[in-house]
Amino acid sequence: MTSRITTHVLDTSTGRPAPGIPVSLQIRGDLDWEELGTGTTDADGRIPDLGPQDLPSGSYRLEFATETYFAAAGTPSFFPSVTVTFTVAEQEHYHVPLLISPFAYSTYRGS
């Protein structure tokens, strides 16, 4: 079963998926961020089962431990992690891709 929030990571410096990146899904609580799920990108750079099926409206974030991926490749990098914060407004699927390279990253709302 696919979760309400999915992600995938592509390494734009190699033109390939980025496997082995730990990712944490969190929701903003009353005082701090609360972890809802974790996963690690597969050989295709994807995590299809990151969090629960039902999510209340609110602020969420994905934390990508990119340092793990670049260290395993022996590649120096500038960003040890990337945090993407976004809003869930409706009960629909949210796909949040991340494009990385050793010294830059970008993201967008996927489908």
Side-chain angles (χ1 to χ4, degrees):
M1 179 181 294
T2 301
S3 63
R4 180 90 44 210
I5 296 175
T6 58
T7 189
H8 76 271
V9 183
L10 299 174
D11 182 342
T12 59
S13 67
T14 64
R16 300 191 179 276
I21 296 179
V23 180
S24 170
L25 170 64
Q26 302 167 13
I27 185 172
R28 185 182 307 227
D30 292 335
L31 300 175
D32 206 356
W33 291 93
E34 301 170 21
E35 189 170 80
L36 295 177
T38 62
T40 302
T41 56
D42 63 16
D44 196 33
R46 297 180 181 276
I47 304 178
D49 56 353
L50 187 58
Q53 264 299 310
D54 295 318
L55 297 171
S57 297
S59 295
Y60 290 80
R61 71 182 181 188
L62 291 172
E63 288 189 346
F64 299 84
T66 53
E67 182 174 46
T68 302
Y69 170 76
F70 287 117
T75 303
S77 65
F78 185 68
F79 299 103
S81 66
V82 173
T83 301
V84 178
T85 305
F86 55 96
T87 301
V88 167
E90 299 179 20
Q91 288 296 314
E92 59 184 322
H93 178 240
Y94 292 84
H95 185 65
V96 185
L98 179 66
L99 307 175
I100 59 171
S101 70
F103 300 98
Y105 66 88
S106 65
T107 187
Y108 57 95
R109 166 110 191 245
S111 58

